[in-house]
Amino acid sequence: MSVTTAEAAARESAKPQDAPAYFECRDVHAYYGESYIVQGVSFEVKENEIVALLGRNGAGKTSTLRTIARASEPHVTSGEIWLDGQAIHTRKAHEAARTGIQLVPEDRRIIPGVTVEENLILAQVSEPKGWSLERIYEAFPRLAERRRQEASTMSGGEQQMLAVARALARDLKLLLLDEPYEGLAPQIVREIERIMMEVKKLGITTIIVEQNAIAALELADSAIILDMGQVAFRGSAKDVLDNPQLRQEYLAI
Amino acid sequence: MTINSVFLQLLTGLQLGAIYALIALGLTLIFGTLGVVNFAHGALYMLAAYCAVIIAGKMGFLAAIVLVPIMLFVVGIALERGLIRYFYNRPHVDQILVTFGLAIVVEEVVKWIFGANNIPFKLPAWGNGVAFLHEYIPFLEGFVVFPKWRLILVAVSLLTVFALFALLQFTRFGLIVRAGMREPEMLRFLGVDITKRFAIVFGLGALIAGIAGVFGGPITQVSPGVGMNLLVPSFLVVVIGGMGSLAGALIAALMLGMALAFTAEIASLQQIIIYLIAVVVLLGRPRGLLGKKGVME
């Protein structure tokens, strides 16, 4: 759908007074139906930075990622989201994806009934495209072997691999990873960890949500701790690891 | 029963099934992709039949074959953009009420303009008359004829089914739509404007109703109530086949067509046979023949 002039005007007027960071949430409030989940979240992420978004169950981590990806639920009632000078809060999910946001959702959301390759092709229906299929298959030989297999019949680890590969098939500015290690066997976790380290080397700006805070902090440069839908702490990964009180209070580690 | 009468009843069943299939295909396509129960689908058929009879009268039947499906495609897109899309996230009951209401409005408007009576729909010369089947099929005995137009209807239905199947199975558009049926939100996260594709799907459903109206109109009548009369058995076809299943709808359409054809001599049974089949199938398989778990439950 083409952008109407009214929408363009709204985007223009949505420009903030002071220049936003590379990625920034400014006092974002969002609801799941009637329940108030994201209660005024503000934080900045620098280009190429990897941030671990931590907190207890129900702290609003997944909701924050879904809000950034502009899912229809939770719906934003106020606040601004900026990526590389572009307003995200005025966009729909598919438009946000076209500005370079890629959410690798919790439970991976591999498209059932179609093959591995078709999952990747679907990631390249709209511009801008990222890695070519050749490059993806080179980096993930396991997916190359299974390219004709129905994707949802693969193991959890392989599906996670595909979910990450599918994001790389798009031209990325911000990668949102929701629980990449969830429900995977320990040796698979190590394999996914290796892939994550490769992703880290690519220098893609990333926000990672993970129950396993230690694993997330190993990857991350810095950390945000959410509590009751608000940012309770923002600092370096080391700050969190070195602060037993913080770990005890918000992460139970 | 002789071989001849069995064969003729099979053909009749096939032809009845063909018209139910054409309408049910559009219904189940729209339900399977958009999750919308479109009770206005019969009205689209009726509209197509009226357009066909008018265009065929003025410009010839071939013009109707080309123009009516295109017109219905446009009507379908307009309907989706103007009304249906506001009901995607509403309960099925709301969708049924609004589409059923729309069907009644369309029916009354047509009644107001053209009157309540059937408009005679003259067949084109090339489709008129009967086919002498005994000349082509060796095992038939003696003299066996069947209306040519009904055979054409069966052929058109088959072609439409194959075309739709090929579109969904072998094209990129089909891949996007199939994926969108299963994971609409993930496709949006991948930058695909799935809503736009779904509008086209609604248009396609209407286009198939258009094809059904042109080729079915001469058989079913062209009257304001024809859409509603066809909607009930077509909706049963969708339910028996399994909501949203194209293959299920085809099997169910064939079943109902055959059941009606083979009970033709027992009028009282013929009136209830399709409901009887619906009850038996749904008792054994509440999701319908090929229905998927979690759909409309």
Side-chain angles (χ1 to χ4, degrees), chain A residues 1 66 71 93-94 97-98 102-103 105 109 112 121-122 125-126 166 170, chain B residues 81 172 175-176 179 182-183 185-193 196-197:
Chain A
M1 212 178 301
R66 288 178 54 85
H94 68 272
R98 288 174 193 178
Q102 267 308 294
L103 172 63
R109 305 286 285 277
I121 289 170
L122 285 164
V125 166
S126 85
R166 197 168 57 177
R170 299 198 50 75
Chain B
R81 290 286 87 189
R172 174 162 291 211
L175 173 64
I176 297 168
R182 308 293 288 272
E183 273 287 356
E185 185 178 56
M186 190 62 225
L187 279 165
R188 292 192 182 100
F189 289 150
L190 293 172
V192 181
D193 186 0
K196 197 168 78 187
R197 266 71 171 204

Coordinates of all heavy atoms in Angstrom, one line a residue, chain A residues 1 66 71 93-94 97-98 102-103 105 109 112 121-122 125-126 166 170, chain B residues 81 172 175-176 179 182-183 185-193 196-197:
Chain A
M1 N 0.8 -1.2 0.0 CA 0.0 0.0 0.0 C 0.9 1.3 0.0 O 1.9 1.3 0.7 CB -0.9 0.0 1.2 CG -2.2 0.6 1.0 SD -3.2 0.5 2.5 CE -3.3 -1.2 2.7
R66 N 7.9 -7.0 20.9 CA 6.8 -7.0 20.0 C 6.3 -5.6 19.7 O 5.9 -5.3 18.6 CB 5.6 -7.8 20.5 CG 5.9 -9.3 20.4 CD 4.7 -10.2 21.0 NE 3.5 -9.9 20.4 CZ 3.0 -10.4 19.3 NH1 3.7 -11.3 18.7 NH2 1.8 -10.1 18.9
A71 N 4.0 -5.1 16.2 CA 2.9 -6.1 16.2 C 1.6 -5.4 16.5 O 1.6 -4.3 17.2 CB 3.1 -7.2 17.2
A93 N 3.5 -3.2 11.2 CA 4.5 -4.3 11.3 C 5.3 -4.5 10.0 O 6.5 -4.5 10.0 CB 3.9 -5.6 11.8
H94 N 4.6 -4.6 8.9 CA 5.3 -4.8 7.6 C 6.2 -3.6 7.2 O 7.2 -3.8 6.6 CB 4.4 -5.3 6.5 CG 3.5 -4.3 6.0 ND1 2.2 -4.0 6.6 CD2 3.6 -3.4 5.0 CE1 1.6 -3.1 5.9 NE2 2.4 -2.6 5.0
A97 N 9.3 -3.6 9.4 CA 10.2 -4.7 8.9 C 11.0 -4.1 7.7 O 12.2 -4.4 7.5 CB 9.4 -5.9 8.5
R98 N 10.3 -3.3 6.9 CA 11.0 -2.7 5.7 C 12.0 -1.6 6.0 O 12.9 -1.3 5.2 CB 10.0 -2.2 4.7 CG 9.2 -3.3 4.0 CD 8.1 -2.8 3.2 NE 7.2 -3.9 2.8 CZ 6.1 -3.7 2.1 NH1 5.7 -2.5 1.6 NH2 5.3 -4.8 1.8
Q102 N 14.0 -6.7 12.4 CA 13.7 -8.1 12.3 C 13.5 -8.7 13.6 O 14.4 -8.8 14.4 CB 14.7 -8.8 11.5 CG 14.5 -8.9 10.0 CD 13.1 -9.4 9.7 OE1 12.8 -10.6 9.9 NE2 12.2 -8.6 9.1
L103 N 12.3 -9.2 13.9 CA 12.0 -9.9 15.1 C 12.1 -11.4 14.8 O 11.5 -12.0 13.9 CB 10.6 -9.6 15.6 CG 10.1 -10.4 16.8 CD1 10.9 -10.1 18.0 CD2 8.6 -10.0 17.1
P105 N 10.9 -14.3 16.7 CA 10.0 -14.4 17.8 C 10.3 -15.6 18.7 O 10.9 -16.6 18.3 CB 8.6 -14.5 17.2 CG 8.8 -14.5 15.8 CD 10.2 -14.6 15.4
R109 N 8.2 -19.3 15.3 CA 7.2 -19.0 14.2 C 7.7 -19.4 12.8 O 7.5 -18.6 11.9 CB 6.8 -17.5 14.3 CG 6.4 -17.1 15.7 CD 5.0 -17.6 16.0 NE 4.0 -16.8 15.2 CZ 3.6 -15.6 15.6 NH1 4.0 -15.1 16.8 NH2 2.7 -15.0 15.0
P112 N 4.5 -23.3 8.9 CA 4.3 -24.7 8.7 C 3.7 -24.9 7.3 O 3.2 -24.0 6.6 CB 3.2 -25.1 9.7 CG 2.5 -23.8 10.0 CD 3.5 -22.7 9.8
I121 N 12.5 -17.9 1.1 CA 12.0 -17.1 0.0 C 10.9 -16.1 0.5 O 10.9 -14.9 0.1 CB 11.3 -18.0 -1.1 CG1 12.4 -18.8 -1.8 CG2 10.5 -17.2 -2.1 CD1 11.9 -19.9 -2.7
L122 N 10.1 -16.5 1.4 CA 9.1 -15.6 2.0 C 9.7 -14.4 2.7 O 9.1 -13.3 2.8 CB 8.2 -16.4 2.9 CG 7.1 -17.3 2.2 CD1 6.5 -18.3 3.2 CD2 6.1 -16.5 1.5
V125 N 10.4 -11.6 0.0 CA 9.3 -11.2 -0.9 C 9.3 -9.6 -1.0 O 9.2 -9.1 -2.1 CB 7.9 -11.6 -0.3 CG1 6.8 -10.8 -1.0 CG2 7.7 -13.1 -0.5
S126 N 9.6 -9.0 0.1 CA 9.6 -7.5 0.1 C 11.1 -7.0 0.3 O 11.9 -7.7 0.9 CB 8.7 -6.9 1.2 OG 9.5 -6.9 2.4
R166 N 16.4 -16.7 8.5 CA 15.3 -16.0 7.9 C 15.5 -14.5 8.1 O 15.2 -13.6 7.2 CB 14.0 -16.5 8.4 CG 12.8 -16.2 7.6 CD 11.6 -17.0 8.1 NE 11.3 -16.8 9.5 CZ 10.3 -17.3 10.1 NH1 9.5 -18.1 9.5 NH2 10.1 -17.1 11.4
R170 N 17.0 -10.8 5.3 CA 16.5 -9.5 5.1 C 17.6 -8.5 5.5 O 18.5 -8.8 6.2 CB 15.3 -9.2 6.0 CG 14.1 -10.1 5.6 CD 12.8 -9.6 6.1 NE 12.6 -8.2 5.8 CZ 12.2 -7.8 4.6 NH1 12.1 -8.6 3.6 NH2 12.0 -6.5 4.4
Chain B
R81 N -12.4 -4.1 0.8 CA -11.9 -2.9 1.3 C -12.9 -2.0 2.0 O -12.6 -1.3 3.0 CB -11.3 -2.1 0.1 CG -10.1 -2.7 -0.5 CD -8.8 -2.5 0.3 NE -8.7 -3.6 1.3 CZ -7.8 -3.6 2.3 NH1 -7.0 -2.6 2.4 NH2 -7.7 -4.6 3.1
R172 N 4.3 -17.8 -6.8 CA 4.8 -17.0 -5.6 C 3.6 -16.4 -4.8 O 3.6 -16.5 -3.6 CB 5.8 -16.0 -6.0 CG 6.2 -15.1 -4.9 CD 7.4 -14.3 -5.1 NE 8.6 -15.2 -5.2 CZ 9.8 -14.8 -4.9 NH1 10.0 -13.6 -4.4 NH2 10.8 -15.6 -5.0
L175 N 2.2 -19.1 -2.8 CA 3.0 -19.4 -1.6 C 2.8 -18.4 -0.5 O 2.6 -18.7 0.7 CB 4.5 -19.4 -2.0 CG 5.5 -19.5 -0.9 CD1 5.4 -20.8 -0.2 CD2 7.0 -19.3 -1.4
I176 N 2.7 -17.1 -0.9 CA 2.5 -16.1 0.1 C 1.1 -16.2 0.8 O 1.0 -16.1 2.0 CB 2.6 -14.7 -0.5 CG1 4.0 -14.4 -1.0 CG2 2.2 -13.6 0.5 CD1 4.2 -13.2 -1.9
A179 N 1.2 -19.3 3.1 CA 1.9 -19.0 4.3 C 1.1 -18.1 5.2 O 1.1 -18.2 6.4 CB 3.3 -18.4 3.9
R182 N -1.4 -19.6 7.5 CA -0.9 -20.2 8.7 C -0.3 -19.3 9.6 O -0.5 -19.4 10.8 CB 0.1 -21.3 8.3 CG -0.3 -22.3 7.2 CD -1.4 -23.2 7.7 NE -1.0 -24.2 8.7 CZ -0.5 -25.4 8.3 NH1 -0.4 -25.7 7.1 NH2 -0.1 -26.2 9.3
E183 N 0.4 -18.3 9.2 CA 1.2 -17.4 10.0 C 1.1 -15.9 9.6 O 2.2 -15.4 9.2 CB 2.7 -17.8 10.1 CG 3.0 -18.9 11.1 CD 3.0 -18.4 12.5 OE1 2.8 -17.2 12.7 OE2 3.2 -19.2 13.4
E185 N 0.9 -13.1 11.1 CA 1.7 -12.1 11.8 C 3.2 -12.2 11.4 O 3.9 -11.2 11.2 CB 1.5 -12.3 13.3 CG 2.3 -11.2 14.1 CD 2.1 -11.3 15.6 OE1 2.4 -12.3 16.1 OE2 1.6 -10.3 16.2
M186 N 3.7 -13.5 11.3 CA 5.1 -13.7 11.0 C 5.4 -13.1 9.6 O 6.5 -12.5 9.4 CB 5.5 -15.2 11.0 CG 7.0 -15.4 11.0 SD 7.9 -14.7 12.3 CE 9.3 -13.9 11.5
L187 N 4.5 -13.2 8.7 CA 4.7 -12.6 7.4 C 4.8 -11.1 7.4 O 5.6 -10.5 6.7 CB 3.6 -13.0 6.4 CG 3.8 -14.4 5.8 CD1 2.6 -15.0 5.2 CD2 5.0 -14.4 4.8
R188 N 4.0 -10.5 8.3 CA 4.2 -9.1 8.5 C 5.5 -8.7 9.0 O 6.2 -7.8 8.6 CB 3.0 -8.5 9.4 CG 1.7 -8.6 8.7 CD 0.6 -7.9 9.5 NE -0.6 -8.0 8.8 CZ -1.6 -8.9 9.3 NH1 -1.4 -9.6 10.3 NH2 -2.7 -9.1 8.6
F189 N 6.0 -9.5 10.0 CA 7.3 -9.3 10.6 C 8.4 -9.4 9.5 O 9.5 -8.9 9.6 CB 7.6 -10.3 11.7 CG 6.8 -10.0 13.0 CD1 6.5 -11.0 13.8 CD2 6.4 -8.7 13.3 CE1 5.8 -10.8 15.0 CE2 5.7 -8.5 14.5 CZ 5.4 -9.5 15.3
L190 N 8.1 -10.2 8.4 CA 9.1 -10.3 7.3 C 8.9 -9.3 6.3 O 9.4 -9.4 5.2 CB 9.0 -11.7 6.7 CG 9.4 -12.9 7.7 CD1 9.1 -14.2 7.0 CD2 10.9 -12.8 8.0
G191 N 8.0 -8.3 6.6 CA 7.9 -7.2 5.6 C 6.8 -7.4 4.6 O 6.7 -6.6 3.6
V192 N 6.0 -8.4 4.7 CA 5.0 -8.7 3.6 C 3.7 -8.1 4.0 O 3.2 -8.3 5.1 CB 4.8 -10.2 3.5 CG1 3.8 -10.5 2.4 CG2 6.1 -10.9 3.1
D193 N 3.1 -7.3 3.1 CA 1.8 -6.7 3.4 C 0.8 -7.7 3.0 O 0.2 -7.7 1.9 CB 1.7 -5.4 2.5 CG 0.4 -4.7 2.9 OD1 -0.4 -5.1 3.7 OD2 0.1 -3.6 2.2
K196 N -2.9 -6.9 1.8 CA -3.2 -6.6 0.4 C -3.4 -7.8 -0.4 O -4.3 -7.9 -1.2 CB -1.9 -5.9 -0.1 CG -2.1 -5.1 -1.4 CD -0.9 -4.2 -1.7 CE 0.2 -5.0 -2.3 NZ 1.4 -4.1 -2.4
R197 N -2.7 -8.9 -0.1 CA -2.9 -10.2 -0.7 C -4.2 -10.7 -0.4 O -4.9 -11.3 -1.2 CB -1.8 -11.2 -0.3 CG -0.6 -11.2 -1.2 CD 0.3 -10.0 -1.1 NE 1.5 -10.1 -1.8 CZ 2.6 -9.4 -1.5 NH1 2.5 -8.6 -0.5 NH2 3.7 -9.5 -2.2

